[in-house]
Amino acid sequence: MERKMTQLTSTYNTTSDNNEINNTFKLLKEGEKKIQLSEQHKNVTLVLGNTGAGKSTFIQWIAGDNSKLISKEVGKGTGEFIIEDGNRIGSSITSKTIFPELVVDSKTNAAYYDCPGFIDTRSTSYDIAATYFIKKLTDHAENIKIVLVVGYPAVRKGVDRQDFMKLMRHTTDLVKDIKKFQNSIAIAITKVDNQLIKSGGNYSLVPDKSIIESIADFLQEVKQELNEKLKIADISNEEKIFCKNSVKLLDVLQGKNNENHVRIGIFRRPDEPGPLSNITLLQQGKEHVERILYKEIKFTKKISNDFGYTISDRSKNDIN
C-alpha cells in the first residue's frame, strides 16, 4: 500500500510539473507575440510596483487620454470615488498583468512600460513569464528611468509594512546597483485620500506638501529600522545586502531640492465625478508629478548586467 501511494504521488508530481512547464512555455510564446519593443523608444521609463498598487491607472493619468479616465462615485452620497479606465477597453487581462505594456505619451513621446506587478500569487509559470519579459525589456532598452508605485495605505505611519518591504525587496533584487541609478528613480503614491483639516472654523484640504512630508517621514522610519537591523550580530549575509541596498534606495527617494522633496509624487483620489481631464485637483497634481518625471529624474545608460531577476521564493523552489 505504501509503495502504491509513493507511485501515485510521484505520478501526480510529474503531471503537475509537466503542466507547469507547458503553461510556462505557452505564456512565453504568447508574450513574444504581444510585447512591444519599439526601436523608436530605447529611452524607457519602467513603472514598477506590487500587484494592486494602481500602476496602470497611474500611467494612463500621466501619459494617456485623461478624458477616458472616468471618476465615479462608489455609492450615492458617499463622497468616495473610483476611477474607471476607458483607455484600456479591449486589452486582455493577461496582457495587462503578465507582459509589460507600452504606453507612449502623445505630447512628449515619452515611453512608459507598465510592468507586471510584484507579489503576484498565481502560478510559478506566470511568475517566470512576468520576470522573463521584464528582463527582456531591460535588455532592449538603452537608457532607463524607474518609477516605483505604491498605494497610500502602505506608506502611512502605524500600518503593517509588509507590502512596502516586499516592494523594497523586489526593487533591490531587480536593480543591482542603486547608486548607479540614483538620478533616475522616483516614487509615486497612489490612492491618496483627500483629508480635510479644520482651521478657524473652516475646513480645507491637507496640502500636497504636508502629505509628501509625512511620506518622507515614513521612509525615514523604515531606513532607521533597517540600520538597526544591520547591527544584529547574526544577521545573514543575504539580509545584510538587502538592508544596505534598501537604505541606499530610501536615501534616493528622500532626495531634496531647496527643502522640497523632489522624488515623491502623489496621485490623489478624485473629489468629484466625471472625466479626470475636467477635475482641477487631479490636473494640478499631475503637473507636479510631471515635473518629477521630466525634470528631476534623468535617464541612466544601461549595460547588460544592471538588472537581475525577481521571482518569488516559492517559484525558486519549484524551479529547483
Side-chain angles (χ1 to χ4, degrees), residues 148 168 171-172 178 185 245-253:
L148 305 179
M168 290 290 99
T171 303
T172 53
I178 297 296
I185 304 176
N245 287 335
S246 294
V247 167
K248 291 176 185 177
L249 178 56
L250 291 166
D251 279 337
V252 169
L253 297 178

Side-chain angles (χ1 to χ4, degrees), residues 20 31 43 61 77 101 106 108 135 164 218 234 269 282 303:
E20 200 71 76
N43 295 344
W61 177 56
E101 184 176 357
S106 60
T108 64
K135 187 67 168 65
F164 183 77
F218 170 87
D234 59 349
R269 292 182 183 274
L282 295 187
I303 60 175

Side-chain angles (χ1 to χ4, degrees), residues 20-292:
E20 200 71 76
I21 291 168
N22 290 335
N23 288 337
T24 300
F25 281 109
K26 180 180 177 182
L27 286 170
L28 294 175
K29 186 176 180 180
E30 182 182 354
E32 291 289 357
K33 295 177 181 177
K34 290 188 174 181
I35 191 169
Q36 296 173 278
L37 300 178
S38 170
E39 290 301 317
Q40 296 177 337
H41 297 100
K42 292 284 193 172
N43 295 344
V44 305
T45 300
L46 306 180
V47 180
L48 306 168
N50 295 343
T51 301
K55 299 183 303 299
S56 300
T57 306
F58 169 78
I59 292 177
Q60 293 297 341
W61 177 56
I62 289 298
D65 183 351
N66 279 201
S67 69
K68 292 182 179 178
L69 294 173
I70 309 299
S71 169
K72 292 189 176 181
E73 195 168 16
V74 173
K76 189 174 181 180
T78 62
E80 183 180 353
F81 298 89
I82 59 171
I83 300 171
E84 292 187 357
D85 186 355
N87 287 291
R88 299 166 67 81
I89 292 174
S91 180
S92 73
I93 295 297
T94 301
S95 66
K96 286 193 290 187
T97 56
I98 298 300
F99 315 124
E101 184 176 357
L102 173 63
V103 178
V104 178
D105 189 331
S106 60
K107 301 189 299 292
T108 64
N109 200 39
Y112 294 86
Y113 275 95
D114 183 1
C115 295
F118 299 137
I119 326 180
D120 211 314
T121 56
R122 290 169 303 193
S123 68
T124 296
S125 58
Y126 277 82
D127 196 8
I128 293 171
T131 302
Y132 170 80
F133 285 109
I134 291 178
K135 187 67 168 65
K136 189 177 181 73
L137 171 56
T138 58
D139 287 344
H140 164 80
E142 291 180 356
N143 301 289
I144 289 177
K145 291 180 184 179
I146 298 167
V147 178
L148 305 179
V149 175
V150 61
Y152 188 46
V155 293
R156 301 182 73 169
K157 291 187 177 182
V159 301
D160 183 354
R161 293 180 179 170
Q162 183 178 0
D163 189 57
F164 183 77
M165 295 312 297
K166 285 182 178 178
L167 174 63
M168 290 290 99
R169 191 170 294 276
H170 280 291
T171 303
T172 53
D173 282 347
L174 179 66
V175 185
K176 292 183 180 180
D177 187 351
I178 297 296
K179 187 175 181 180
K180 174 177 178 177
F181 288 89
Q182 63 184 346
N183 296 320
S184 306
I185 304 176
I187 189 168
I189 314 302
T190 61
K191 308 175 186 178
V192 175
D193 298 321
N194 296 312
Q195 295 174 313
L196 301 176
I197 52 174
K198 187 176 182 180
S199 178
N202 296 317
Y203 288 91
S204 61
L205 194 65
V206 175
D208 289 1
K209 185 173 181 179
S210 297
I211 294 173
I212 291 170
E213 288 291 341
S214 71
I215 294 166
D217 288 344
F218 170 87
L219 299 179
Q220 180 62 21
E221 284 187 2
V222 175
K223 175 187 168 183
Q224 289 172 349
E225 288 186 8
L226 290 169
N227 278 326
E228 287 300 316
K229 195 171 184 180
L230 283 168
K231 297 177 183 178
I232 299 174
D234 59 349
I235 185 173
S236 70
N237 188 56
E238 181 181 357
E239 194 66 14
K240 185 182 294 185
I241 292 171
F242 163 67
C243 290
K244 286 182 176 179
N245 287 335
S246 294
V247 167
K248 291 176 185 177
L249 178 56
L250 291 166
D251 279 337
V252 169
L253 297 178
Q254 293 179 81
K256 281 186 171 184
N257 183 0
N258 296 326
E259 299 305 312
N260 293 316
H261 290 279
V262 293
R263 299 297 184 91
I264 303 172
I266 63 172
F267 181 14
R268 289 182 180 269
R269 292 182 183 274
D271 61 345
E272 59 181 294
L276 265 55
S277 55
N278 296 341
I279 299 178
T280 302
L281 178 68
L282 295 187
Q283 293 306 306
Q284 289 175 343
K286 181 178 176 180
E287 292 174 5
H288 174 255
V289 175
E290 286 176 335
R291 282 198 298 273
I292 295 173

